[in-house]
């Protein structure tokens, strides 16, 4: 990458190195971007990443965090499950706990808690202490979360909230928000977000803030 490209690219969020734990993600990211008829530059801009960073994700040189996967799923009009290469023959209404395989991304651990290919995506998430707490997220859609263990710090705009087990929050995702575990043991939560299927809709609403993954 030339010095000019480096100077003009938005800051790149930190995450793990090569995507050894997520081998299916890199080819899926590239294929879904092409299916959406988006150039590398257009997709990266809408997702709040630099083209060079998205290129590294597509070639497996970097592992995407969960917020990045959510952002790219919205851009491509698909689901996190499809980005991960997960497919099912039928959309079963019931998801058995024994069938939930953990996935680790960006320090978080999450389990798919709903059927893939739906307009809403449900996850069970473990947020470890100190992981991604400084990342501000802004993106189209809605989010609902319910704390099932530990305490969660949630900042919505200029207001900070401390959520205990049994507390929940439901908010517009265009409100700048930050999520972090308040205790060293981390926090566990149920997390549901809407998926805007049309990339054009995300473009009209502005998409994620440059340099801030969602």
């Amino acid at each position: 990458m030339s010095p000019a490209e480096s100077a003009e690219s938005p800051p790149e969020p930190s995450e793990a190195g090569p995507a050894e734990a997520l081998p299916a993600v890199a080819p899926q990211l590239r294929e879904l971007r092409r299916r959406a008829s988006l150039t590398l530059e257009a997709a990266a801009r809408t997702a709040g990443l630099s083209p060079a960073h998205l290129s590294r994700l597509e070639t497996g040189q970097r592992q995407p965090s969960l917020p990045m996967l959510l952002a790219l799923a919205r851009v491509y009009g698909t689901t996190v499950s499809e980005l991960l290469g997960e497919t099912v023959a039928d959309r079963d209404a019931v998801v058995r706990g024994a069938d939930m395989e953990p996935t680790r991304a960006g320090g978080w651990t999450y389990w798919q808690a709903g059927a893939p290919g739906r307009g809403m995506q449900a996850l069970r998430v473990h947020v470890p202490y100190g992981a991604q707490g400084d990342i501000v997220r802004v993106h189209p859609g809605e989010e609902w979360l319910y704390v099932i263990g530990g305490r969660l710090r949630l900042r919505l705009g200029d207001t900070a909230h401390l959520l205990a087990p049994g507390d929940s929050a439901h908010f517009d995702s265009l409100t700048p928000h930050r999520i972090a575990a308040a205790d060293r043991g981390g926090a566990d939560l149920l997390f549901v977000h809407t998926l805007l299927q049309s990339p054009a809709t995300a473009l009209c609403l502005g998409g994620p803030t440059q340099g801030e993954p969602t």
Side-chain angles (χ1 to χ4, degrees), residues 3-24:
E5 290 173 331
S6 177
E8 296 175 359
S9 298
E12 296 176 358
S14 61
E15 78 282 344
E20 297 175 358
L22 301 173

Side-chain angles (χ1 to χ4, degrees), residues 9-138:
S9 298
E12 296 176 358
S14 61
E15 78 282 344
E20 297 175 358
L22 301 173
V25 174
Q28 282 291 103
L29 289 177
R30 185 168 53 251
E31 174 60 29
L32 289 170
R33 175 176 61 77
R34 291 172 176 172
R35 187 192 305 177
S37 300
L38 291 172
T39 64
L40 189 72
E41 290 74 14
R45 182 174 61 251
T46 308
L49 302 171
S50 71
H53 193 69
L54 180 55
S55 177
R56 285 193 285 270
L57 295 177
E58 290 188 355
T59 55
Q61 298 176 47
R62 289 291 184 271
Q63 175 179 314
S65 65
L66 173 57
M68 285 184 194
L69 291 174
L70 295 176
L72 290 168
R74 292 186 182 93
V75 171
Y76 300 151
T78 185
T79 64
V80 170
S81 293
E82 188 171 7
L83 287 181
L84 294 174
E86 300 171 356
T87 58
V88 293
D90 300 304
R91 291 182 178 179
D92 293 332
V94 176
V95 179
R96 302 293 182 185
D99 296 331
M100 295 182 187
E101 293 292 334
T103 298
R104 293 173 179 82
W108 292 7
T109 303
Y110 66 98
W111 297 258
Q112 290 286 345
R118 300 291 188 182
M120 293 190 303
Q121 294 190 61
L123 304 169
R124 181 163 60 89
V125 183
H126 176 72
V127 181
Y129 185 77
Q132 303 183 35
D134 58 345
I135 297 177
V136 179
R137 302 174 175 90
V138 182

